[in-house]
Structures are given as C-alpha cells and as structure tokens.
Amino acid sequence: MKHGVISRLALSDCAKTCMLASSPVFRRQQFLIRSLGGAGDHQTNFARMQNLKSVEVDAESIVRAITRPLDPSRHKGQAGKIAVIGGCREYTGAPYFAAISALKIGADLSHVFCTKDAAPVIKSYSPELIVHPVLEESYSIRDEDKKSIASKVLSEVDKWMERFDCLVIGPGLGRDPFLLDCVSEIMRYAKKSNIPMVIDGDGLFLVTNNLDLVSGYALAVLTPNVNEYKRLVQKVLSSEVNDPDAPQELLSLAKKIGGVTILRKGKSDVISDGETVKSVSIYGSPRRCGGQGDILSGSVAVFLSWARQHILSADPNKNLSSKNPAVLGCIAGSALMRKAASLAFLNKKRSTVTGDIIECLGRSFEDISPAT
Amino acid sequence: MKHGVISRLALSDCAKTCMLASSPVFRRQQFLIRSLGGAGDHQTNFARMQNLKSVEVDAESIVRAITRPLDPSRHKGQAGKIAVIGGCREYTGAPYFAAISALKIGADLSHVFCTKDAAPVIKSYSPELIVHPVLEESYSIRDEDKKSIASKVLSEVDKWMERFDCLVIGPGLGRDPFLLDCVSEIMRYAKKSNIPMVIDGDGLFLVTNNLDLVSGYALAVLTPNVNEYKRLVQKVLSSEVNDPDAPQELLSLAKKIGGVTILRKGKSDVISDGETVKSVSIYGSPRRCGGQGDILSGSVAVFLSWARQHILSADPNKNLSSKNPAVLGCIAGSALMRKAASLAFLNKKRSTVTGDIIECLGRSFEDISPAT
C-alpha cells in the first residue's frame, strides 16, 4: 500500500468522469500528474538521477494544486489537525513556532505535547494552541518511577494520536534520555497507525541514532540542516559529505532509510524520497535567525496532510496514487516558507526574526494561491 | 413564569405611554414584536414548523433592537457581568476567547472560574479579565479530601454567582470527573437562582450525560457543533441524525429537553426553543479554526442578558414578555460572530485565527448598530 494511501474514489461511469473533468479538483489532479512526470515516472526520474541533477520544480503550482479548497459546509478539523511533539524546560519557542505556523497556513487545530515546565510558557505565547503538559524529563522523576511514568505519558498521548493528520516531532524536544525514550514509543505508535511524521531538530538527533523509528516508513519526512545532514550521512552511508549539493548522495540516503522523504535545507532546499530528487530555489532570505526550521516543519506537516487527502480522494485511474504526498508536502512547505522569509526580509532586513516571517505566511500564501 | 421573566414595568397612565411611544426603547420593542410574529406567535410558528422550514430572521435588526443603549449616567456592571466556567490544565485558550469576546461586545465585567493551573496562563493573556483560580482536578487532590474540597469550591463560586447576568459553561472545561461534578452543582445553583447559562464544549458533554442539569430551564442555551449535536440527538431522541439540516429534529430536541434553546452551529446557524425554528445565514467565513465557538458562546451570553433586561423593562401590554430572550440572544450572537468572521477572513484569508476574529467584533458591531 504505497504511501499508506488507499484510493477511496472509484468512479466507473461516464457521467462522473465528465463532471470531474470540469472540476477544479480534477484540474489540480491533472496538473500534479503532468508536473511530476505522469504514471511510471519513478523509473524515468531514477534514470535521470544518474546524471546527478536535481530538478527544480514549479513549486508554486504544486502549492496551488494540493491546497485544500475552502468550503463553508466543512466543519472544524477537516482542514487539518496537527500535533507538535516538543518543548522542554530549556526550549519553548521552537514548538510554538511550528504549531502556530500550522494554524496560520490553514490547519484548523494545532496541538503541542511538551513537558510540564514548558506548557504554561507555550500556552502564554498564544491562546490559539492546545498545549498538553504530559512529557517528563529525568531531572523531575526517580529511577524507580520511570516505568510507570513512561506508561502514563504514552497512554495520555496515544488517546489523542488517531485524531491527528500529521505529527511534527522534535522542535525544542531537548535530549533528555528518558524523554527521548518516551518519544520513540510515540513514533512507533504513529508509524503503526499510518500517521505522517515530520522530524526536525532534536527529533533528528533521536532518529539518527535509532533509524528503525522511521526506516521503511514512506510517511516520514526528515528536514535536516547542514550539520544534521552530515551526521545522517555519516551514520547511514558511513561516509563524509564531500559535496553538500550532490543530489545522488541525498537520493542514496533516502533510499537507504527505506524511502523516507528528506528535505535538505540550504540555499536551495533539495528533496528526495529515494526515487526522485527535486529542488526548490525560489525566494528565500539571507537572514538565518533561529526558528525558521520550525516554521518549515509546521508548514510541511499541513501540506503533507492536504496532499495525502488530495491523493486519497483522487480518481484511481489517474495514477495520482503513485505520487508521494511527503514529497509534495515538502515542496509546498519549502516554497511558502521561502516566500514568507523573503517578504519579511524586504520589510525588516537585518532585524528580521522568526515571528516576522510567521506574520508573512498568510500574505505569501494569498499571493501564491488566493483563497477566493 | 415564562423564561424566568417578571415584568417590572407596569405603565398605567397615558402620559407614560405617550412618552414611551416616541422613545428608542419603545420602537425597539415594537420591532421585536413585529419581527418575531406578535402575540401568540408560538402557536402560529409551531403550525408553520410542521412544514419543516426554518425561518431566516432579520438578525441585524434584532441586534439593533436588543442592544443596550450606552448612557453616561449608567455605572460599571449595568451593561453586563458575564462569567465563564472553564479552563483546566489542558485548555486555557477557549475560556479566554469566550471571556474577552464578552468584553469586546460591550459587557462591563468578564470573569473566568478555572483551575489553579490554568489561572496564571489565562491571566497572562489579558489583564482585562478577572480570573478566579478556584476549580480543582482529580490529579491534584486525594480521594479523602474530595468532599471538603468540593464544598470549598462551591462556596467560593456561589458567593459570586448572584452578581452575574449570564454564565458561559464549558469552554476548555475538560472532562475530569471531579471537576465536572463540581460544575454540575454550580449549574444546579444557577438554575435555582434563575441565572441564564450558555453551554458549549465540554459543558455539552456534561449536559448530554446529565440532562436534568438543564431540562425544563428556559434560560439555558446549548450551542452544539455537528458532532455535539449528533451525540445530543442520539441521547435525547434515541435516533441518528439523518438530515443535519432538518429543522423538525432540532425543534423536537429542544422540546424534549423541556424548552431549552439550542443553537446548532453550521453553514447556517439554526436556533430552536422547541416552539420556533429560526436560522441565521448572513455573512460567515469558510475558515474553521478552533475557537470560533468560544467567541459565539461569549457573544450569546451578552446578548441574552441584554435581551432579558430589555424584555424585563418592557410594557407588559406589548406582549414582549412572550418573547424568549434566549432565542434573541442566539440570533444576535450568531449574526455578530458571523460578521466578524467574514471581516477577519476578508483581511487574513487562510491565515485567519480566532484572535483575528475577536479583533473584528467591535467594527462588526459598529457596522450593524452604531453607538451614536
């Protein structure tokens, strides 16, 4: 079952096909098939990849194609429910940035699962988020209580899990061993339940040392920066990064981890699921203030869940089911983040901070795909 | 004593009547009588309901008719004192949204009664609110202390109760059994004291499983969304929701709970007290971000209390006493919320969040009913 996707629509009669042919949904599906190379494009693309070139995609068109239409008859939750697993005694900004970005892009509900110390602070940043103070760090518990506390943490998180369309694992997670053990269990549960995961920050530290958490899971996205990418390559390919722009290495890395999708952040964002390598180079900003990766992870989570819904509801005859929603989500998330960063920089220049970029997400989205 | 209303004004002489005839108050009363069908309209409306159609009302005129005039000679509290019962370890945004909306619409004082964990966070959202950290959840108390703590919680809340013009029960309340037991007692006290209640979110979970808390109480308003409505219908009518747009079902539901008013949220908001079915379809937004229901509950609370004051002070000969302030409050609250949501969406599009809608409440109100 590729990408955990089951085609739900089985249109068999001409009437339905004709009706679809004129619909915006149909036109978006057709666009996706064209822009990503049509049926059986994986082999073609793979052959192309031997030339070691990533393909710059028309990212804005992909944003338009997968964006979930607004419809007054829909109800709360149908445009996406995202959860960020992160936030500890040390870090509270990162999970906030990821979660609020998801809301500003159009998710209906955005949750944060963090430690008890982090929760009141993250809550106070914004009443828009639902913040669950359920995680624990070693410093606050005794060794003999660890087993029972871990079990309690997991049961509190698991009862929510199935409601979410995508998890973001890692922003501000920290590296406490007990906390990371609990998060490993959450990831195992999510994988078993076919819930997509975007893994960033300390989540990448966890995954690099425990590849089985994502290995072979097509609904996992890793979003490493230069250093996180180096560590992944060392661990997985047992080699050093010679040319950080080499698409072949990225493709091999994604393939070796069993077809997860990797978005390597940089001057261009380069994306591979082990079968294709795409790049997004539009817009962007020279400012490298901390927190931009968190916006990206929240954005990718929303677009991944929309792309997945889009593919799930597509006509099975149109071969959309061969498209990877994780790759589409990365392309769209990258494009929107880069446009928002460029808009914020235009206005704030050197003083641009992450909050300024978040404030530009709405206008950037509207410029790319107006919500008529 | 219909709707718990006693006509306080008993104008007997011609002079008073003539004076009233030219006053804005009198004109608003006349409008209400016309717009809601005049004396004895319940039977007429009930007959109409057999055709299974809800009646779209002139909601903006109702907002104008029941809005309490501003008058420099009035003192603090006379434009409304609202209390929200909600806010626990998990949820802090929802009670804030409800309470601040009540203030932004024109209430003079807005209180929140929440748990000790939630209070500092809700206080940090805004210094405008009065936040009482009085509720308790099971995790923080021992079984043997429950009885004495419950008694303490109730005495702390009860001493405030009679000051309020309306309670909002449920935003961010959570589902802790001990906390819900305490809130049940608060509701019983409010019902006995004829204090209106708007029940939303986890308050609806409580009421669905304990219908006696509101049954037969004409000053109770329930504001279910699609899923909460389904659960209510299953519980009360022992049936499934076949057509979510069917007014007859909503009417039967309200009637079966003894004439409470139900505002069923959706593409159109549909309102019934078991005798009439009205709908409000103006404005609105396709964005379904969490928190909009909290704005609505705070809005309905203010308008309900104003409608009640308006009816209480009306000429008894004008049959205004047959009007249900709960229905009027729902219509006005729905119209204002929908207008604010549409204004916010015009500006923020997909990135609209609940805070953006709250910021539009004032302008929306001014557009509908200028505070000359």
Side-chain angles (χ1 to χ4, degrees):
Chain A
M1 200 170 65
K2 190 156 178 62
H3 313 316
V5 164
I6 314 158
S7 286
R8 287 188 196 146
L9 261 183
L11 299 176
S12 53
D13 56 321
C14 177
K16 274 187 179 171
T17 311
C18 293
M19 186 186 74
L20 266 177
S22 63
S23 78
V25 171
F26 179 81
R27 288 198 300 272
R28 278 201 303 278
Q29 288 169 4
Q30 290 299 93
F31 166 78
L32 279 179
I33 292 163
R34 283 196 311 276
S35 69
L36 291 171
D41 66 324
H42 285 148
Q43 271 127 18
T44 323
N45 278 327
F46 190 70
R48 272 207 299 273
M49 281 316 102
Q50 306 311 306
N51 299 327
L52 305 176
K53 283 195 180 164
S54 62
V55 179
E56 179 72 16
V57 285
D58 179 357
E60 290 190 307
S61 293
I62 288 175
V63 170
R64 284 189 283 275
I66 63 174
T67 292
R68 202 161 163 74
L70 289 163
D71 177 349
S73 67
R74 291 224 171 91
H75 55 80
K76 186 173 74 177
Q78 289 186 306
K81 300 181 288 296
I82 305 298
V84 177
I85 316 281
C88 61
R89 190 167 59 156
E90 252 173 339
Y91 307 114
T92 51
Y96 162 76
F97 289 141
I100 200 76
S101 298
L103 271 188
K104 297 265 181 178
I105 286 168
D108 284 344
L109 292 163
S110 194
H111 293 241
V112 176
F113 291 81
C114 62
T115 69
K116 286 171 181 166
D117 288 337
V121 178
I122 301 173
K123 283 169 184 284
S124 75
Y125 293 147
S126 169
E128 310 284 349
L129 307 177
I130 300 167
V131 182
H132 306 262
V134 297
L135 302 180
E136 297 272 6
E137 288 179 89
S138 303
Y139 75 87
S140 64
I141 51 177
R142 294 180 307 176
D143 277 352
E144 58 267 37
D145 295 333
K146 282 188 174 169
K147 204 171 162 187
S148 67
I149 289 175
S151 157
K152 203 177 151 207
V153 167
L154 290 174
S155 76
E156 287 205 46
V157 180
D158 288 356
K159 73 182 177 198
W160 286 93
M161 199 59 76
E162 306 263 353
R163 310 184 193 195
F164 296 124
D165 299 300
C166 191
L167 306 183
V168 180
I169 307 227
L173 192 59
R175 296 190 177 184
D176 179 76
F178 176 75
L179 186 147
L180 292 185
D181 281 350
C182 290
V183 173
S184 299
E185 287 307 313
I186 293 169
M187 291 177 74
R188 287 194 184 95
Y189 186 93
K191 191 176 168 187
K192 210 170 63 184
S193 309
N194 263 341
I195 301 165
M197 290 186 271
V198 178
I199 297 144
D200 191 43
D202 294 317
L204 288 171
F205 168 81
L206 174 62
V207 161
T208 304
N209 297 313
N210 303 272
L211 287 166
D212 65 293
L213 293 173
V214 292
S215 189
Y217 186 46
L219 289 171
V221 171
L222 315 183
T223 55
N225 60 22
V226 173
N227 290 325
E228 290 156 346
Y229 181 72
K230 273 183 191 165
R231 284 194 289 270
L232 261 175
V233 168
Q234 284 165 347
K235 185 80 180 184
V236 179
L237 302 179
S238 305
S239 65
E240 294 302 317
V241 174
N242 292 320
D243 175 6
D245 293 327
Q248 181 60 53
E249 188 177 62
L250 178 65
L251 185 128
S252 302
L253 185 65
K255 204 173 187 68
K256 193 78 184 281
I257 315 179
V260 300
T261 295
I262 302 176
L263 189 170
R264 193 185 63 203
K265 296 178 280 195
K267 191 179 168 193
S268 294
D269 292 333
V270 190
I271 298 145
S272 180
D273 60 354
E275 298 192 1
T276 64
V277 183
K278 311 285 185 191
S279 64
V280 180
S281 310
I282 52 167
Y283 307 113
S285 145
R287 188 80 170 93
R288 291 287 174 269
C289 52
Q292 295 183 60
D294 306 312
I295 304 179
L296 181 71
S297 64
S299 307
V300 170
V302 177
F303 283 115
L304 193 171
S305 64
W306 286 349
R308 196 171 176 227
Q309 284 180 342
H310 191 64
I311 291 167
L312 282 167
S313 63
D315 181 348
N317 299 320
K318 302 298 175 193
N319 290 302
L320 253 187
S321 61
S322 68
K323 304 298 165 210
N324 187 342
V327 171
L328 297 174
C330 285
I331 293 168
S334 165
L336 186 62
M337 161 65 202
R338 295 173 73 96
K339 185 165 175 71
S342 73
L343 273 181
F345 185 76
L346 262 180
N347 189 27
K348 299 287 185 108
K349 301 289 178 178
R350 285 179 193 278
S351 75
T352 308
V353 291
T354 299
D356 300 320
I357 301 173
I358 290 171
E359 279 313 300
C360 292
L361 285 171
R363 196 181 126 203
S364 303
F365 204 166
E366 194 58 18
D367 285 353
I368 297 173
S369 180
T372 44
Chain B
M1 198 172 64
K2 192 158 179 59
H3 314 314
V5 165
I6 315 158
S7 287
R8 287 188 195 146
L9 262 182
L11 299 175
S12 54
D13 56 322
C14 178
K16 274 188 180 172
T17 311
C18 292
M19 185 186 73
L20 266 176
S22 63
S23 77
V25 172
F26 180 80
R27 286 199 302 273
R28 278 201 303 277
Q29 288 169 4
Q30 289 300 96
F31 165 78
L32 278 180
I33 291 164
R34 283 196 311 277
S35 69
L36 290 170
D41 66 323
H42 285 149
Q43 271 125 19
T44 324
N45 277 328
F46 190 69
R48 272 206 300 272
M49 280 316 102
Q50 305 311 305
N51 299 327
L52 305 178
K53 286 194 179 164
S54 61
V55 179
E56 179 72 17
V57 286
D58 179 358
E60 290 189 306
S61 294
I62 288 175
V63 171
R64 283 189 284 275
I66 64 174
T67 293
R68 203 160 163 76
L70 290 165
D71 178 348
S73 68
R74 291 225 171 90
H75 57 79
K76 185 173 76 177
Q78 289 187 306
K81 299 180 290 296
I82 306 298
V84 177
I85 316 281
C88 62
R89 188 170 59 154
E90 252 173 341
Y91 306 113
T92 50
Y96 162 73
F97 289 142
I100 199 75
S101 298
L103 273 188
K104 296 264 180 178
I105 285 168
D108 284 343
L109 292 163
S110 194
H111 293 241
V112 176
F113 291 81
C114 61
T115 70
K116 286 172 183 168
D117 288 337
V121 177
I122 300 173
K123 285 169 185 281
S124 78
Y125 292 146
S126 170
E128 311 285 350
L129 307 177
I130 300 165
V131 183
H132 306 259
V134 296
L135 302 180
E136 297 271 7
E137 288 179 88
S138 304
Y139 76 87
S140 65
I141 52 176
R142 293 179 308 176
D143 277 353
E144 57 267 37
D145 297 334
K146 282 188 174 170
K147 204 172 162 185
S148 66
I149 289 176
S151 158
K152 203 176 150 206
V153 167
L154 290 174
S155 76
E156 287 204 46
V157 179
D158 288 356
K159 72 183 177 197
W160 286 92
M161 197 63 74
E162 305 263 356
R163 312 183 193 195
F164 297 124
D165 299 300
C166 190
L167 305 182
V168 180
I169 310 235
L173 192 59
R175 296 191 177 184
D176 179 75
F178 175 75
L179 187 148
L180 292 184
D181 281 350
C182 290
V183 173
S184 299
E185 287 308 312
I186 294 169
M187 291 177 75
R188 287 193 183 97
Y189 186 92
K191 191 176 169 188
K192 210 170 64 185
S193 309
N194 262 340
I195 300 164
M197 289 187 272
V198 179
I199 297 145
D200 191 43
D202 293 317
L204 288 171
F205 168 80
L206 174 62
V207 160
T208 304
N209 297 312
N210 302 273
L211 288 166
D212 65 293
L213 293 174
V214 293
S215 190
Y217 186 47
L219 288 171
V221 171
L222 315 184
T223 54
N225 62 21
V226 174
N227 289 324
E228 290 156 347
Y229 180 73
K230 273 184 193 164
R231 284 193 287 270
L232 261 175
V233 168
Q234 282 166 347
K235 184 80 179 185
V236 179
L237 301 179
S238 304
S239 66
E240 295 301 319
V241 175
N242 292 321
D243 175 6
D245 294 326
Q248 182 60 53
E249 188 177 63
L250 178 65
L251 185 127
S252 303
L253 186 66
K255 204 172 187 67
K256 193 80 184 280
I257 314 179
V260 301
T261 295
I262 302 175
L263 190 170
R264 193 185 64 204
K265 296 178 279 197
K267 193 178 167 189
S268 294
D269 293 332
V270 190
I271 298 145
S272 181
D273 60 353
E275 297 192 0
T276 64
V277 183
K278 311 284 185 192
S279 64
V280 180
S281 310
I282 52 167
Y283 307 112
S285 145
R287 187 79 169 94
R288 291 287 173 270
C289 52
Q292 295 184 60
D294 307 311
I295 304 180
L296 181 72
S297 64
S299 307
V300 170
V302 176
F303 283 115
L304 192 170
S305 65
W306 285 350
R308 196 174 175 224
Q309 283 179 343
H310 192 63
I311 292 166
L312 283 167
S313 62
D315 180 349
N317 298 321
K318 300 299 174 192
N319 289 302
L320 253 187
S321 62
S322 68
K323 303 299 163 207
N324 187 343
V327 171
L328 296 175
C330 285
I331 293 168
S334 165
L336 186 62
M337 161 66 202
R338 295 173 73 95
K339 186 165 175 72
S342 73
L343 274 180
F345 185 77
L346 261 180
N347 188 27
K348 297 288 186 109
K349 301 286 178 176
R350 287 181 191 277
S351 73
T352 309
V353 292
T354 299
D356 300 320
I357 301 173
I358 290 172
E359 281 311 302
C360 292
L361 283 171
R363 195 182 128 202
S364 302
F365 204 166
E366 194 57 18
D367 284 354
I368 297 173
S369 179
T372 43

